Amino acid sequence: MLHIFYGDMQEAVYDPATYFNNQIQDAWITDSLSVEMIRDIDHSEVLGPHVIDSPVLGGISPRELSGGVKTLILINQVSSRIFNASACGDNCAKWLLKIANDKDVTINLRHIMDFGDDEFTIHILNTNTVVHRMSELVMIASDFVR
């Protein structure tokens, strides 16, 4: 299940991109879910743990991936930390839900992310409420974000 804490959260890693750049492991990049997320979000192909083919930039290192992809990879790979997922755009929402289908995932958000029109299950930690639609999520989250 996806668990979200809205607003400032002291224990959350506020800058996931910097954390990623300093903790990256080869296996994170070649993981099948990472390959799918990189293809979808950054429109790039993983050639190996150190080279990604970007249609815009050519051959890049994993450090040059978007902040959204870096955050998703961290959320999937580093379960011992909570990451600020506000570095992710709405195009990352489906991936957060997919990761949370297989395991409990806790993230911090400082904005209201659009999880789409389909039904979902998200636990809002601020109020200990489970929501299933964006209309329910917005009613609660709007009390905690600016």
Side-chain angles (χ1 to χ4, degrees):
M1 179 183 290
L2 181 59
H3 307 272
I4 301 174
F5 185 88
Y6 284 98
D8 293 339
M9 184 182 199
Q10 236 178 342
E11 62 269 31
V13 175
Y14 179 75
D15 184 2
T18 299
Y19 185 97
F20 179 92
N21 289 343
N22 288 287
Q23 299 296 319
I24 188 171
Q25 297 179 21
D26 290 352
W28 294 359
I29 304 305
T30 57
D31 175 79
S32 62
L33 185 60
S34 295
V35 170
E36 287 181 60
M37 293 186 299
I38 292 166
R39 183 177 296 129
D40 181 53
I41 303 296
D42 284 1
H43 309 290
S44 299
E45 295 296 326
V46 174
L47 302 178
H50 303 282
V51 180
I52 296 158
D53 184 25
S54 164
V56 175
L57 303 171
I60 62 172
S61 79
R63 287 178 174 79
E64 295 168 279
L65 289 168
S66 68
V69 168
K70 289 177 180 181
T71 303
L72 289 171
I73 291 170
L74 287 170
I75 290 166
N76 187 46
Q77 295 291 332
V78 184
S79 57
S80 62
R81 303 299 299 259
I82 297 170
F83 295 95
N84 171 17
S86 288
C88 296
D90 290 341
N91 60 344
C92 296
K94 71 179 182 184
W95 292 105
L96 289 169
L97 293 171
K98 182 176 177 75
I99 294 167
N101 276 338
D102 297 329
K103 58 185 168 187
D104 279 336
V105 173
T106 300
I107 63 170
N108 176 228
L109 277 175
R110 294 156 193 237
H111 76 286
I112 298 175
M113 180 177 281
D114 185 355
F115 287 93
D117 297 328
D118 294 336
E119 192 169 300
F120 51 74
T121 301
I122 293 176
H123 177 220
I124 300 176
L125 294 167
N126 305 69
T127 60
N128 195 28
T129 305
V130 175
V131 296
H132 301 284
R133 304 209 62 77
M134 275 306 296
S135 57
E136 297 172 320
L137 184 141
V138 168
M139 291 296 294
I140 297 169
S142 62
D143 288 338
F144 300 101
V145 295
R146 298 164 227 205

